[in-house]
Amino acid sequence: MELSDLQQIRLDKVERLREQGEPAYPTRARRTHTNADALALFDAAEANATLSDSGDLDTPMTLTGRMVSFRHMGKTVFAHIEDGTSRLQLYIRRDLLGEDRYADVRKLFDLGDFVQAEGTLFRTRTGEVSLRVSAVTMLAKAINAPPEKWHGLQDIETRYRQRYVDLLANDEVRRIFRVRAKAVSAIRAFLDARDYLEVETPVLQPLYGGAAARPFTTYHNALDQTFYLRIADELYLKRLLVGGLERVYEISKDFRNEGIDRNHSPEFTMLEFYEAYADYETMMDTVEAMIAHVVTTVFGRPCFTFQGNQIDVTPPWPRRTLREAIHEASGVDYTAFRSQEALQQAARAAGASIEDGMVWPRIVDELLKQFVRPHQIQPIFLTDYPVELSPLAKRKADDPTHVERFQPYIGGGEIGNAFTELNDPMDQLARFREQQEDKDAGDEEAMPLDWDYINALMYGMPPTGGVGIGIDRLAMLLTDQRTLRDVILFPAMRNLPNESANTPESGSDSAETESPAE
RNA sequence: GGGCCUCUAGCUCAACGGCAGAGCAACGGACUCUUAAUCCGCAGGUUCAGGGUUCGAAUCCCUGGGGGCCCA
């Protein structure tokens, strides 16, 4: 490993600490308070006027954190440490610490180091609550210097490739992922409270299904068999409904072998939940209540700002049919154009960009994307999609050309997909066969026929409502981010040239030889 | 897949055909209440890689690589 001058200087300090008997990486830390707790205690004591004559809170404290600022004033040092709760200033005086130890702090401690400091809290002349330090020790020496203190880490590529640097340098990034976690936690609380059972279904699947997408393919050596990484949880979760579990949900990574852009990641997080004896109307009730619960949990009220728009998720949300929404936005009533040619002509006449040869349902989808979707800023449910777009949804009783399906839209994008689940095994078989025809015609995203799923439906699945919510897209909304990668901690990136040795094909070290246990 | 943009010190950025620079960080020093502390001094480069044009290339051209945006 080649070290830069800056790294070598810090490594030398590790050695100097060791020489004088202080480990640079001690086995354990001892803290009596988090920084936030310590500050709260001081505020309380100050409010109750129980501080000592010197203005100190006489409770001795041991605090920990990463050193994020360091101002040397001769015989005094001001430094800030930051733990997971707060930033707190250390006030380090030579006469309190002793000459030798004070020199160590000046010479051997750097920005980025984790330290542990003992002392008592007081308020400085400029009003900042600070720790009057009586002792300080190294907890973990940082060899790499942190990014620039004022601008943080700006380089987008480094922020994604080395998210740990992004997180330690940029407060806003930590905030984003806290909001995301809080939202997921609120979803679990909401569903748990409604007696939904959280379950885990296979990531490795012998046959993929439940969505229109290309899968990742892998291989199990012992079984001598191909597996696919799941593109959706849907078909397994609905098997559980057959088995008598009436309310189930799963929050999990799904994988789709497609391009990467602002709204697509090869691995992403999906919430799916299914409820027996429900239908798409009652599931709309559930979705709007759930989103309102999540937003209120995160922000304290059912409103938030996304890309400059104030969004209010208070139920009930408007519900409009896809046909109405497209008709109003584009002037095209797609039901009046039954053939691909006629609809293509009408769509183009309305100003849509439609490729030659695009099949009828895809043209409808394009009308939705081009005319309707960008304008759905406030929450809305679009309902009743053409059957061709929805091979797993149940037909409307009064219109077999459409299915009971809805998508919730917020902030100009869809955040999910839901329907009254198709539970007629023979209709499901027919839909699979139509998909098979599309596949044979070259549609790589068409669903394969899943005989075991048909078999499950033949045992009987109760009438069921099901919903899928894209957690990453929801997180984008709640954190006001325009890019999926900004709400994914470690987004997929292409190998750098000198990382190509990571691929199993190259180099001599294969997976077998890496394990010393073998 | 196509178009446009981008890659310079650890970090944030200048220089845009004529000596590769600044701030922060580092290093040496002054300073016992600072807040992006201040002040003095000093050091730091495969300008993404390779090739070409040129008296001279970070800069222009070509090829390749990473990243971003837009389009498909």
Side-chain angles (χ1 to χ4, degrees):
Chain A
M1 180 171 61
E2 203 159 320
L3 292 179
S4 72
D5 291 349
L6 294 180
Q7 291 171 318
Q8 191 55 56
I9 287 166
R10 284 168 176 248
L11 210 51
D12 291 343
K13 292 178 182 181
V14 169
E15 204 44 48
R16 282 165 64 190
L17 282 167
R18 283 200 179 118
E19 281 166 7
Q20 57 191 61
E22 178 174 4
Y25 304 96
T27 308
R28 43 182 62 85
R30 300 278 186 221
R31 75 170 169 189
T32 58
H33 303 77
T34 65
N35 291 341
D37 287 346
L39 292 171
L41 278 177
F42 184 88
D43 285 345
E46 196 174 48
N48 299 332
T50 56
L51 298 179
S52 71
D53 294 343
S54 63
D56 282 35
L57 171 64
D58 281 335
T59 314
M61 291 177 171
T62 303
L63 306 179
T64 57
R66 186 193 290 278
M67 197 137 61
V68 294
S69 76
F70 194 91
R71 293 178 295 282
H72 174 223
M73 312 269 312
K75 298 188 179 63
T76 305
V77 166
F78 288 90
H80 278 94
I81 58 170
E82 189 173 280
D83 68 4
T85 65
S86 182
R87 191 171 285 217
L88 190 145
Q89 183 168 259
L90 303 182
Y91 177 61
I92 304 172
R93 290 172 58 119
R94 190 170 76 165
D95 54 7
L96 270 175
L97 212 57
E99 208 156 316
D100 289 349
R101 196 57 187 151
Y102 184 77
D104 286 346
V105 169
R106 279 189 48 193
K107 297 296 174 191
L108 302 181
F109 285 44
D110 287 299
L111 288 180
D113 294 350
F114 282 95
V115 301
Q116 172 172 305
E118 294 175 48
T120 55
L121 289 176
F122 74 111
R123 198 179 280 281
T124 64
R125 252 174 242 160
T126 48
E128 181 164 354
V129 178
S130 307
L131 188 73
R132 190 189 305 279
V133 173
S134 56
V136 58
T137 55
M138 183 67 68
L139 287 182
K141 183 79 193 160
I143 303 304
N144 289 330
E148 209 250 8
K149 63 182 171 188
W150 190 239
H151 301 92
L153 178 66
Q154 294 294 325
D155 184 79
I156 294 171
E157 185 175 351
T158 310
R159 289 187 45 225
Y160 293 152
R161 285 191 191 278
Q162 303 180 39
R163 183 69 89 181
Y164 42 91
V165 187
D166 191 25
L167 284 164
L168 77 87
N170 299 326
D171 293 347
E172 168 66 7
V173 178
R174 288 200 296 273
R175 187 195 71 84
I176 287 170
F177 290 103
R178 287 209 175 90
V179 167
R180 178 179 172 134
K182 201 167 183 180
V184 171
S185 165
I187 288 169
R188 284 206 164 88
F190 178 90
L191 292 170
D192 291 345
R194 294 188 174 216
D195 288 327
Y196 276 82
L197 191 68
E198 181 169 12
V199 297
E200 295 180 79
T201 63
V203 175
L204 292 176
Q205 304 181 344
L207 191 64
Y208 60 96
R214 296 175 62 184
F216 286 90
T217 306
T218 187
Y219 194 77
H220 191 284
N221 291 333
L223 293 178
D224 191 21
Q225 176 186 317
T226 294
F227 278 92
Y228 302 95
L229 273 59
R230 65 175 161 205
I231 60 174
D233 306 353
E234 173 147 356
L235 300 185
Y236 279 96
L237 289 172
K238 287 195 285 196
R239 283 172 168 94
L240 299 179
L241 272 289
V242 170
L245 303 181
E246 293 192 344
R247 297 182 174 200
V248 295
Y249 76 97
E250 182 164 18
I251 297 174
S252 64
K253 282 283 181 69
D254 289 349
F255 306 86
R256 296 185 184 176
N257 205 339
E258 313 175 322
I260 299 175
D261 63 31
R262 257 189 33 232
N263 292 305
H264 295 88
S265 167
E267 61 177 297
F268 59 98
T269 305
M270 180 81 104
L271 160 69
E272 290 191 30
F273 59 101
Y274 294 82
E275 179 174 325
Y277 314 114
D279 55 49
Y280 81 142
E281 306 239 332
T282 58
M283 292 314 259
M284 282 188 258
D285 299 341
T286 304
V287 167
E288 62 193 12
M290 181 172 77
I291 299 299
H293 171 75
V294 169
V295 172
T296 304
T297 302
V298 172
F299 297 111
R301 57 200 185 101
C303 305
F304 63 96
T305 302
F306 180 71
Q307 302 296 302
N309 294 303
Q310 183 74 13
I311 292 176
D312 184 344
V313 298
T314 305
W317 301 354
R319 303 176 181 189
R320 306 197 63 197
T321 65
L322 182 66
R323 179 186 169 192
E324 286 169 0
I326 289 177
H327 190 188
E328 182 179 294
S330 69
V332 177
D333 179 358
Y334 63 77
T335 61
F337 304 94
R338 310 302 305 189
S339 75
Q340 186 268 338
E341 293 78 11
L343 185 58
Q344 175 176 299
Q345 199 173 9
R348 286 179 173 166
S353 159
I354 303 292
E355 273 182 274
D356 285 335
M358 193 176 271
V359 296
W360 190 90
R362 280 294 313 282
I363 298 174
V364 175
D365 201 33
E366 282 303 311
L367 289 169
L368 165 64
K369 285 179 182 169
Q370 293 181 32
F371 289 102
V372 180
R373 187 164 75 182
H375 306 110
Q376 309 306 317
I377 305 300
Q378 296 301 324
I380 187 174
F381 293 113
L382 296 185
T383 68
D384 299 349
Y385 286 59
V387 63
E388 294 89 341
L389 282 171
S390 319
L392 301 167
K394 201 173 208 171
R395 293 175 207 265
K396 290 182 69 67
D398 57 355
D399 176 9
T401 66
H402 284 73
V403 295
E404 293 201 343
R405 172 180 171 187
F406 73 83
Q407 290 195 292
Y409 283 81
I410 303 179
E414 85 244 17
I415 62 163
N417 188 25
F419 17 88
T420 303
E421 302 297 336
L422 176 56
N423 63 345
D424 174 341
M426 292 307 131
D427 192 0
Q428 183 65 76
L429 180 57
R431 306 272 197 98
F432 273 143
R433 289 204 152 121
E434 284 165 19
Q435 290 286 308
Q436 202 63 48
E437 285 168 21
D438 289 349
K439 204 174 190 62
D440 294 343
D443 182 356
E444 291 180 323
E445 294 191 345
M447 293 181 199
L449 204 170
D450 188 335
W451 283 107
D452 182 74
Y453 180 65
I454 298 292
N455 188 51
L457 290 186
M458 289 172 75
Y459 277 95
M461 183 174 85
T464 297
V467 177
I469 300 281
I471 295 297
D472 310 278
R473 292 192 185 177
L474 182 61
M476 285 168 67
L477 284 172
L478 298 179
T479 58
D480 200 11
Q481 299 299 306
R482 292 184 65 247
T483 302
L484 204 64
R485 273 174 295 234
D486 287 329
V487 299
I488 293 175
L489 280 167
F490 297 98
M493 301 285 277
R494 194 186 292 271
N495 273 354
L496 291 173
N498 60 9
E499 289 175 338
S500 59
N502 285 342
T503 57
E505 291 78 17
S506 72
S508 57
D509 49 351
S510 65
E512 288 82 45
T513 60
E514 291 228 334
S515 170
E518 302 250 330

